[in-house]
Amino acid sequence: MESYIINGGNKLEGRVNISGSKNATLPIMAASILNEGTTTLYNVPDIYDVKIMINILENVGCKIYRNRDKVVIDSRNVSDTVIPDVLMRQMRSSVMLVGAVIGRKRQCNFSYPGGCEIGARPIDLHMRAFRKLNVNVRENSGYIYCDTDCIKNTELNLDFPSVGATENVMLLSVLGEGNTTIKNAAREPEIIDLQNILNKMGAKVQGAGSNIIYIEGVKKLKDVTYTIMPDRIEAGTYLCMGVATKGHIILDNVNVEHISSILSKLEETKARIIIRKNSIELIGNSKIMGIDTIKTMPYPGFPTDMQSQFVSMLTISKGTSIVTENIFENRFKYVSELIRMGAKINVEGRTAIIKGVKNLEGALIEAHDLRGGAALVIAGLIANGQTKLIGIKHIQRGYEDIDKKLLLLGAKIKKGE
Ligand code: EPZ
């Protein structure tokens, strides 16, 4: 099984370029199905989840051309409306293809996207919204059959501001009849990116970034060229690495506005942060101060996708920190691996209590999910001695060239068997 071998103790120093956002790229690639033409995307990250999405799009009939960060999707011949089980299982966020396929072909069959390491990941909010938009949804032994003769746009209220459900309803409604209003919509920046490209394609969407989104159905969309926004979670992850290694790093190609909740929490560690137009400079403090409380919330609150990286960074902080995970029910799986390295963490339900220790010791550890895996890379960077981290496929799903970027910052990391 592929691994990262990390020799800890080096301060990270230098510049790192932040790649395009995974969580903006995936719904935007799904949106390409709505146009019987060509979608040209730039700043697409070279990560495993994008490779899976390319496979799924080719499966439904798209032709895809990729050259470095440029991806061209020709969706003139979308013929199939079945999302294969094996691909659905590989990436559960492929559920957001469903809205686009129904929007284009008025039907879609797919297998229930199972849960993953961080939770059950149900899709009840998606299905309830689809039914409100006049889509027949039938479930039978793990398969879901959706079809409609006419998407009737309407007003709907999400029980929870689900990112995926918000995006799926947007994708379903843009070619529907009439107007859709999504109340209690998710406000994540990736949803604004989706609105931007849809409007460039000729859709009529407004309100993304607020909790009410309006979609006026149109007949057709057109070819588009679009550049994906920077990945705010990748940026936050490198900032945590800078603090944890007491280093001095500069992040290029960052949208500072997207990470204000992360920056304010990092400042509580007494790290110094200098903000420039498109870059952020972080100077770590020799003493990392603990953070009294972190509570993950929907955007613009502190992001759940940064929870594990902060916990890892705080293992060697001064004092006690309390981190509460309010979004997913099982997002502390990585903690047992940190404890193997000498961390003092007590998990009670949805709360982790971290008592800072002087340092961690390198060990053999395993990643079980994407962000938990990033947390374990951070632990390897700060631990004494050598850490062997297995299960790195999880990390490669969402971090482009993480080993190469860390090497450039002075880390001792390499791929192992
Ligand atoms: C998106 O997942 C992101 N993924 C996740 O990032 C992120 O953690 C999450 O939003 C929250 O910000 C992508 O954008 C590809 P949700 P999504 O629907 O859409 C419950 C990463 O590491 N829920 O906002 O699946 C759900 O179980 C990934 O990059 C229902 O109950 O998240 C969870 O508890 C991980 N029923 C909560 O809502 C539903 O129908 C938030 O889920 C849908 C969701």
Side-chain angles (χ1 to χ4, degrees), residues 10-233:
N10 283 22
K11 291 178 189 292
L12 295 190
E13 291 174 334
R15 302 187 84 103
V16 58
N17 183 57
I18 298 304
S19 304
S21 162
K22 167 178 86 78
N23 291 349
T25 299
L26 296 175
I28 284 175
M29 289 179 75
S32 68
I33 290 181
L34 293 165
N35 166 39
E36 295 180 45
T38 303
T39 299
T40 303
L41 302 174
Y42 288 97
N43 203 30
V44 176
D46 183 12
I47 54 176
Y48 194 61
D49 271 9
V50 167
K51 291 188 176 72
I52 298 174
M53 186 56 97
I54 287 175
N55 286 348
I56 296 174
L57 289 174
E58 286 172 338
N59 235 281
V60 299
C62 296
K63 295 238 173 322
I64 299 181
Y65 161 82
R66 167 150 214 180
N67 177 17
R68 297 170 59 82
D69 72 305
K70 178 181 176 183
V71 170
V72 180
I73 303 167
D74 174 352
S75 51
R76 277 172 298 180
N77 305 314
V78 169
S79 48
D80 204 341
T81 59
V82 177
I83 303 175
D85 180 49
V86 65
L87 292 173
M88 202 72 201
R89 286 179 184 282
Q90 275 185 29
M91 183 179 68
R92 53 168 325 288
S93 42
S94 27
V95 69
M96 67 184 74
L97 266 165
V98 175
V101 172
I102 299 171
R104 170 76 179 269
K105 305 294 282 183
R106 298 295 185 265
Q107 69 171 31
C108 182
N109 304 332
F110 61 105
S111 60
Y112 191 84
C116 64
E117 296 296 343
I118 62 176
R121 312 292 293 273
I123 57 169
D124 55 314
L125 300 178
H126 299 244
M127 296 303 113
R128 202 173 308 145
F130 285 9
R131 288 189 171 104
K132 274 217 83 173
L133 289 157
N134 191 46
V135 175
N136 307 308
V137 178
R138 283 167 293 113
E139 307 185 33
N140 182 3
S141 50
Y143 255 81
I144 300 176
Y145 304 86
C146 298
D147 68 273
T148 179
D149 47 13
C150 160
I151 299 164
K152 289 204 180 83
N153 286 352
T154 181
E155 176 174 304
L156 54 93
N157 204 315
L158 293 177
D159 291 354
F160 179 86
S162 154
V163 172
T166 301
E167 292 165 343
N168 234 340
V169 171
M170 288 166 72
L171 292 168
L172 180 64
S173 309
V174 290
L175 294 176
E177 278 187 12
N179 301 334
T180 285
T181 304
I182 309 171
K183 291 191 169 174
N184 197 27
R187 299 171 54 190
E188 273 70 4
E190 292 77 18
I191 294 170
I192 300 174
D193 230 28
L194 180 60
Q195 170 179 282
N196 291 344
I197 191 172
L198 287 171
N199 287 341
K200 256 190 110 173
M201 294 167 80
K204 290 184 179 153
V205 186
Q206 51 179 317
S210 80
N211 59 359
I212 302 182
I213 297 177
Y214 303 93
I215 300 110
E216 185 186 331
V218 296
K219 288 264 173 284
K220 249 177 94 56
L221 297 177
K222 60 184 190 273
D223 291 4
V224 69
T225 295
Y226 192 77
T227 299
I228 305 283
M229 64 177 250
D231 193 311
R232 60 191 170 101
I233 304 301

Side-chain angles (χ1 to χ4, degrees), residues 17-19 231-238 371 399-400 405:
N17 183 57
I18 298 304
S19 304
D231 193 311
R232 60 191 170 101
I233 304 301
E234 185 194 23
T237 302
Y238 282 100
R371 306 303 175 187
Y399 289 96
E400 183 178 61
K405 291 188 180 185

